[in-house]
């Protein structure tokens, strides 16, 4: 009887061991905008599909809805959008910045500087977000004979590009990889890099664009795991654009492989936790407060805006 009891106990322990080892870890859910942010994390999407459920979206509406509903563990979104919603009580904190200084003007006629755009109608995207801040600030720094007319009619950068293609006289403000895509389709395309003008006017090397926000309730171990994975992903993107372009193609990204590969080096992909980027984030947010404070809820976010990292 004693031997039978020991035998039964060993069987039960074995079953419990198998059950624990076979139980899959709960996947983290991630929401990321199409374009450079999604390309920046494509390595994770391809290589770590068992650990993450990743949804790609276009336009800010889906990001705002996700913040409000807390539908995802991690949301990649414009830094100022996250700061604005933080003032309204969202339960997300900033871990770091994923992409930087990626904004261009495209045109079928020559543009040498912003003054070339005097009196022109310009299609833009990103109202209430990074593009609006950068565009409106830079325009305010020049004495135009006739100020450009900016229309934020496009709900996403993809839609801004669609409008641009429909009108040969149009000018649009877009970002990579759209600029690289436009170069493959239009022979005489002129591109004006707004990041270079930003640096010239502000003396700031970069402006933070896509931030990584995590739900406050997400376990610390998962946050640290994502930080490790996104650092690997961005390094892979910069070191091997061809590999990442292949991954994006296999994941049905809405861009051709050649476009993705050529755009990566122009996209300022570089994940930096807020421990290493706090100064430039604060400089950018302070500039918004001075120029267009409503874009971040009319006040600077406090320290709780940043996820506690040590």
């Amino acid at each position: 009887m004693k031997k039978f009891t020991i035998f039964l106990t060993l069987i039960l322990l074995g079953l419990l061991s198998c059950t624990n080892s076979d139980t899959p870890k709960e996947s983290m859910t991630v929401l990321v905008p199409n374009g450079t942010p999604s390309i920046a994390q494509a390595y994770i999407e391809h290589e770590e599909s068992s650990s993450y459920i990743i949804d790609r979206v276009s336009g800010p509406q889906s990001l705002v809805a996700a913040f409000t509903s807390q539908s995802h563990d991690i949301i990649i979104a414009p830094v100022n959008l996250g700061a604005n919603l933080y003032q309204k009580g969202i339960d997300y904190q900033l871990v770091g910045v994923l992409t930087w200084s990626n904004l261009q003007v495209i045109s079928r006629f020559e543009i040498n500087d912003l003054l070339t755009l005097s009196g022109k109608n310009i299609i833009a995207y990103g109202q209430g977000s990074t593009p609006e801040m950068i565009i409106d600030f830079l325009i305010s720094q020049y004495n135009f004979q006739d100020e450009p007319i900016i229309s934020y009619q496009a709900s996403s950068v993809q839609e801004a590009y669609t409008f641009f293609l429909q009108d040969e006289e149009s000018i649009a403000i877009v970002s990579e990889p759209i600029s690289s895509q436009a170069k493959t389709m239009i022979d005489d395309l002129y591109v004006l890099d707004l990041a270079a003008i930003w640096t010239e006017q502000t003396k700031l090397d970069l402006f933070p664009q896509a931030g990584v926000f995590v739900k406050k309730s997400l376990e610390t171990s998962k946050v640290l795991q994502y930080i490790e994975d996104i650092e690997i992903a961005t390094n892979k993107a910069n070191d091997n654009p061809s590999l990442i372009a292949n991954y994006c193609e296999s994941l049905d990204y809405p861009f051709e492989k050649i476009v993705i590969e050529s755009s990566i080096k122009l996209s300022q992909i570089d994940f930096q936790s807020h421990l290493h980027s706090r100064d430039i984030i604060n400089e950018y947010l302070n500039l918004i407060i001075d120029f267009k404070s409503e874009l971040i809820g009319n006040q600077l976010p406090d320290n709780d805006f940043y996820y506690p990292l040590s």
Side-chain angles (χ1 to χ4, degrees), residues 41-274:
Q41 59 82 64
Y43 183 83
I44 293 176
E45 193 172 354
H46 188 275
E47 294 292 331
E48 302 289 344
S49 59
S50 62
S51 300
Y52 298 95
I53 298 172
I54 297 172
D55 297 313
R56 288 179 263 122
V57 296
S58 295
Q61 295 88 346
S62 297
L63 301 175
V64 173
F67 275 124
T68 304
S69 66
Q70 301 183 46
S71 59
H72 291 73
D73 297 318
I74 300 165
I75 300 174
I76 297 174
V79 169
N80 82 284
L81 176 63
N84 193 348
L85 294 174
Y86 171 80
Q87 307 291 8
K88 299 176 182 178
I90 61 166
D91 287 325
Y92 287 82
Q93 293 173 299
L94 180 68
V95 165
V97 178
L98 179 61
T99 66
W100 308 77
S101 300
N102 178 9
L103 212 58
Q104 303 87 36
V105 182
I106 57 173
S107 169
R108 293 176 180 83
F109 63 85
E110 188 171 2
I111 45 175
N112 299 313
D113 52 37
L114 281 183
L115 289 174
T116 312
L117 304 178
S118 180
K120 303 294 185 182
N121 292 304
I122 301 173
I123 301 164
Y125 76 102
Q127 187 168 26
S129 193
T130 305
E132 180 182 355
M133 170 59 200
I134 303 303
I135 296 161
D136 289 1
F137 176 81
L138 291 180
I139 286 175
S140 74
Q141 303 304 297
Y142 288 82
N143 294 317
F144 290 95
Q145 184 174 355
D146 294 301
E147 193 168 289
I149 301 168
I150 310 297
S151 173
Y152 292 98
Q153 58 185 296
S155 62
S156 66
V157 63
Q158 290 86 355
E159 189 172 36
Y161 181 55
T162 298
F163 291 152
F164 175 77
L165 291 177
Q166 292 170 350
D167 181 1
E168 292 192 356
E169 300 298 317
S170 64
I171 304 168
I173 294 174
V174 297
S175 56
E176 292 290 354
I178 293 293
S179 293
S180 290
Q181 182 174 346
K183 291 173 188 175
T184 67
M185 300 180 67
I186 300 169
D187 291 333
D188 296 321
L189 184 78
Y190 295 90
V191 180
L192 182 64
D193 182 16
L194 293 180
I197 300 174
W198 168 266
T199 298
E200 178 184 307
Q201 292 296 324
T202 65
K203 309 307 177 187
L204 300 176
D205 291 336
L206 299 166
F207 56 84
Q209 206 149 350
V212 177
F213 295 87
V214 298
K215 194 181 292 185
K216 287 182 180 180
S217 59
L218 189 62
E219 296 95 320
T220 300
S221 61
K222 289 188 174 183
V223 174
L224 296 178
Q225 183 61 58
Y226 186 77
I227 290 174
E228 181 180 333
D229 290 342
I230 197 66
E231 286 177 340
I232 292 171
T234 55
N235 288 336
K236 289 287 185 182
N238 288 315
D239 293 342
N240 197 340
S242 178
L243 173 70
I244 298 305
N246 284 329
Y247 284 177
C248 291
E249 183 180 49
S250 70
L251 293 164
D252 295 324
Y253 274 44
F255 304 100
E256 294 180 3
K257 182 170 68 174
I258 190 172
V259 168
I260 293 172
E261 183 174 352
S262 63
S263 73
I264 287 175
K265 291 297 185 183
L266 304 172
S267 296
Q268 300 282 9
I269 295 170
D270 179 23
F271 177 77
Q272 294 185 31
S273 79
H274 66 71

Side-chain angles (χ1 to χ4, degrees), residues 20-28 50-52 222 225:
N20 289 335
S21 63
D22 292 342
T23 301
K25 294 180 181 178
E26 186 177 350
S27 298
M28 282 183 267
S50 62
S51 300
Y52 298 95
K222 289 188 174 183
Q225 183 61 58

